Each structure stands twice: as structure tokens, then as C-alpha cells.
Amino acid sequence: MTTSPLDDLADQTQQLLSNIAALATIDDLRENEAAITGRRSVLSTLQKSLGVLAPEDRKDAGARLQEARRVVEGALEDRRQELRALARVEVLAHDRLDLGDVVVSAVQWPASVGHPNLVAITQRELEDVFVAMGFTVAEGPEVESDWYNFEALNIPPAHPARGMWDTFYVDLGEPETVVLRTHTSPTQIHLMEAAVAENALPIHSVMPGRCYRRDTPDPRHLATFHQIEGLVIDRGIAFADLAGVIETFTRAYFGPDIESRLRPGYFPFTEPSAEFEVTCTICRGEGCRTCSHTGWIELGGCGVVDPAVLAAVGIDSDEWSGFAFGFGIDRCAQMRHEIADMRALIENDVRFLEQFS
Ligand code: FA5
């Protein structure tokens, strides 16, 4: 009986399959792969030995060997997938976070819940004070045309008073024609225009909102801050009405212990004009860094509406007159809560902010 190199093929294949099954890790498999199916493997050696067979037997032997290789390579591939999956499971088990504590703390009570910033709280309190005095609340846009922010307020181009407001311009339309509003006073203009259009005078309104100036932040200034504008347009309004409203506001918001005063001031849109100041609550009037050692803090500007402004929106100043004011909301919060440096309001230090929930 003639012998063939493939006489032991079935056993050899079985042995290779056992070897493959015994591979324990993906690294194991990589190390042994060449020995199982590579150029020096049993299967490759058998392939080379087929040359000794008679040509009529070679074809059949070649087919058997190819089938054995297909089975072995298939088993190797299956094992590779199994070992990869095992390796992934191990990595996941290693990296697994034990969320037990986290879940427990998430349901602990009281949960830590955020709250509005002190400035938002102050805005609401100020609105409440004025609503109780009979004012309605209105809002206007933060991006304004030059006309609303300046011209309609009696501040024509190149007027020296423009220097009072260091302005951010928006890159829109003609240069320097669209601005981030520097104060809430342009909302007065919107309100008066609407009242004229709807024949809805008189006006008793406050208008809170965000303002922007190219001011360098310091203990009393931010580049983005908030004002609350007030406007009364009615028949027979005089400066004494303004003084009475400011006095009532000061008592209601700060209480009886705080002193306030009106000092002559200048605004192109009011005549006469005044600055409204309160005793510095940080030093109780002694003088400190916050009040630049004056003992007083300016909260806002105010005055009797200039007839030129009424004319710009088509209100007859023979029949109607009015007063206006604009207070800094951040300044009010600062003085009421005795905050030495306004920048603390925007620094997002939770330990500071948490005090004002
Ligand atoms: C004005 O803005 C006028 N529009 C106020 C006004 C309205 C006058 C109506 C007459 C009639 P002034 O620039 O002084 O005025 O600003 C008013 C208040 O806004 C200041 O007193 C201050 O409380 C606040 N304020 C102004 N600039 C800043 C700033 N950079 N940061 C924080 N608060 C500011």
C-alpha cells in the first residue's frame, strides 16, 4: 500500500482545531497564528509535499488540503472574534464606574437647585416697587439705531454729549449707525411713538433692560449692565412730581435708614436734570474705595423731559409734559446688599451668588 503525505490530515486538522480552541487571549492568537496557517505551518508543509504524488492523485489531494485549510482558517477567525469580544468585556469591567453613590446623592433632599442671579432678582423687586406706585412695565430692543439711542434724545451727531456714553457699534449698515444701546432711554422714544400712534397718552411706565458701554470694569462699573428707565407723560407734570416719585421709591426699596439726594446734573434730553445719589452703604458715608471716597453713590439720572424730545416724537409740549429717570439696577443691588465691588455680580463664584436666593 502506497503512503500519502495526507494520510494523517484528519488527525493533524483535529490537532490544529484543538490548538486554536486552547488559545486563551487575543495576544496568544497573534503569537501562534503563523504556526497554524503561516508559511512554516503544517498545512503549508503538506502543500509543498504534494509534489511527490502521482499527477493523477495530486488534484484530489490538493482539494482535501484546501478544505482542511478552509476549516482551520475559519476556526481561527471565529476564535479571533470570540477573543476580541472577551477582551472588550474585560476592558468594560475594568473601566466600570460604580454609580451607586451618585444615584444615592441625586435623590438626597434638599437637592441643589439654581436660582436667578441677584441682578434678575433686583430687577423684579424694582418692577414691583414701581408697579405698586401705578407704573406699567415695558421693554425695548438692545440693538438700536443711532436715531433712537441719540438723535431723538436731542443728541445730534457730533454733539459733545455723545462723549458721555462710550459706545459699542454694530457692524451693520452705514458705519456707526447701529449701536448696542448705551442706556434704556431709547425705550422712552419707542413708548412715546407708540402712544402717539395709538392716541394712548398719558404714559406712566418703567422700562428695565440690559445696556452696553465701553466702560472699563471697576468697583462701580461693568461693560454690560442694567438700567430701569422711568417715564411719565401727562398734563401738568413738574419737577416736584419727579422728586416725590424718587423719594417714595427710595423709602420703599432701601427703607428709611438710607439717605438720598438730588444734585444738579446735565442730560441733553431733560431740562432741568439731576443726579440721584444715596449714601454709600459700604462705608456709611465715611468714604471708601467703592464710592471713590465721596461717601455718596450715584444711582441714576433724571429730569423733566425736554420739549425738543416731545417734538421729535410728535407730542404737543403745550398740552403734555413729563419727567424721566434712569437708575442702574446693578448699582441698586450693590448698595442694597452692600457689595463693595460690582464685578462680583458676574464672576460666577457660587459661594457669593448663593447668598442671594
Ligand atoms: C443715563 O444713562 C441716562 N440715560 C439716565 C437718564 C434717564 C437721565 C432719563 C435723565 C432721564 P448715566 O450715564 O448717568 O445716565 O447712567 C445712569 C445710571 O446707570 C448710573 O447712575 C449708574 O447707576 C448706571 N450705570 C451707568 N454706567 C454704568 C456701568 N458701566 N456699569 C454699571 N452701572 C452703570
Side-chain angles (χ1 to χ4, degrees):
M1 191 182 128
T2 52
T3 59
S4 154
L6 300 193
D7 282 347
D8 295 330
L9 183 62
D11 288 346
Q12 286 166 314
T13 303
Q14 217 32 257
Q15 184 60 51
L16 286 171
L17 293 178
S18 313
N19 293 351
I20 288 170
L23 295 170
T25 65
I26 193 78
D27 287 342
D28 241 5
L29 184 144
R30 280 193 202 109
E31 271 170 34
N32 290 285
E33 189 169 8
I36 296 169
T37 54
R39 280 195 298 129
R40 291 182 213 285
S41 66
V42 175
L43 293 175
S44 297
T45 309
L46 289 175
Q47 182 77 38
K48 284 175 206 147
S49 64
L50 291 186
V52 302
L53 292 175
E56 63 272 19
D57 297 330
R58 226 178 275 160
K59 192 173 168 212
D60 180 48
R64 282 177 60 209
L65 194 56
Q66 218 171 353
E67 174 58 14
R69 182 176 277 281
R70 194 188 61 76
V71 170
V72 169
E73 284 182 348
L76 191 67
E77 209 40 52
D78 288 349
R79 188 67 184 147
R80 192 194 312 276
Q81 298 309 328
E82 280 169 20
L83 293 174
R84 276 200 184 131
L86 275 174
R88 265 199 302 274
V89 169
E90 263 175 41
V91 168
L92 287 178
H94 181 262
D95 291 351
R96 180 172 169 269
L97 282 179
D98 188 350
L99 294 177
D101 290 348
V102 178
V103 172
V104 169
S105 72
V107 295
Q108 271 173 358
W109 192 259
S112 171
V113 180
H115 60 80
N117 183 282
L118 177 59
V119 177
I121 295 171
T122 304
Q123 177 174 324
R124 217 175 297 148
E125 289 169 350
L126 294 172
E127 286 172 16
D128 287 347
V129 168
F130 285 111
V131 167
M133 290 164 72
F135 287 77
T136 57
V137 180
E139 281 183 352
E142 290 177 24
V143 178
E144 287 284 13
S145 67
D146 182 271
W147 194 79
Y148 281 102
N149 198 78
F150 292 122
E151 274 198 64
L153 289 161
N154 204 23
I155 318 168
H159 190 288
R162 287 205 179 198
M164 292 166 73
W165 297 280
D166 223 344
T167 308
F168 284 116
Y169 290 94
V170 178
D171 191 6
L172 207 70
E174 291 288 303
E176 302 198 356
T177 54
V178 182
V179 306
L180 293 183
R181 69 176 174 194
T182 57
H183 49 178
T184 41
S185 297
T187 313
Q188 286 184 33
I189 304 296
H190 289 289
L191 220 59
M192 286 190 276
E193 281 180 340
V196 168
E198 291 157 21
N199 205 14
L201 289 172
I203 297 170
H204 298 84
S205 285
V206 288
M207 298 143 263
R210 199 177 286 137
C211 307
Y212 305 83
R213 288 186 199 174
R214 292 174 55 194
D215 283 349
T216 306
D218 68 19
R220 292 197 308 273
H221 295 90
L222 298 172
T224 300
F225 60 100
H226 303 76
Q227 288 185 341
I228 185 160
E229 191 82 8
L231 178 69
V232 169
I233 302 287
D234 210 332
R235 292 183 176 90
I237 294 292
F239 193 89
D241 300 301
L242 167 63
V245 164
I246 290 186
E247 175 71 14
T248 309
F249 159 76
T250 312
R251 290 274 164 275
Y253 184 67
F254 289 103
D257 296 335
I258 200 133
E259 252 190 86
S260 67
R261 68 180 186 186
L262 289 175
R263 290 202 317 155
Y266 170 74
F267 296 99
F269 33 92
T270 47
E271 179 58 37
S273 302
E275 276 166 12
F276 164 54
E277 296 182 335
V278 293
T279 324
C280 177
T281 56
I282 310 301
C283 61
R284 302 277 149 197
E286 295 289 310
C288 66
R289 205 168 80 87
T290 305
C291 60
S292 300
H293 306 281
T294 63
W296 293 91
I297 291 277
E298 182 200 308
L299 287 189
C302 56
V304 174
V305 179
D306 195 295
V309 176
L310 298 179
V313 292
I315 292 179
D316 178 0
S317 56
D318 288 336
E319 184 180 359
W320 304 96
S321 56
F323 66 76
F325 56 82
F327 299 159
I329 296 179
D330 319 71
R331 275 290 165 88
C332 287
Q334 181 179 21
M335 283 301 104
R336 166 98 173 252
H337 298 281
E338 301 172 23
I339 299 164
D341 195 319
M342 189 187 278
R343 288 170 289 195
L345 293 172
I346 56 165
E347 276 165 358
N348 285 338
D349 183 337
V350 174
R351 291 163 303 177
F352 169 79
L353 296 172
E354 267 175 354
Q355 303 172 74
F356 311 107
S357 53

